[in-house]
Amino acid sequence: MRRSRAVCDREAKLGGRGAYLCRGASPDSPAADCLTRASKRGGIARALRSAVTLDAKLVESIGR
């Protein structure tokens, strides 16, 4: 099984498949609770059809 790394593509310029999350207070960042639910329930991995490892720094930066 391939493993993917989640990255934030704010400019929407990166190639490949994507997984989109609910918008947060700022239009260019996802809602922290949506990211938490998606990671707990495996929604990102399911959307990408691949095992995903979320960088703790990325998750923390979105939760601020």
Side-chain angles (χ1 to χ4, degrees):
M1 179 183 266
R2 288 186 338 201
R3 292 190 59 81
S4 299
R5 253 195 114 97
V7 296
C8 187
D9 181 18
R10 294 182 194 274
E11 289 82 34
K13 302 274 183 183
L14 295 176
R17 294 179 283 183
Y20 296 90
L21 298 170
C22 311
R23 280 195 184 168
S26 171
D28 65 341
S29 66
D33 62 327
C34 189
L35 176 61
T36 302
R37 277 184 281 144
S39 61
K40 283 183 181 178
R41 295 179 178 177
I44 297 172
R46 193 169 45 254
L48 297 175
R49 297 183 187 141
S50 179
V52 175
T53 302
L54 292 176
D55 185 358
K57 290 181 182 178
L58 173 66
V59 176
E60 180 184 329
S61 70
I62 292 173
R64 288 188 230 159

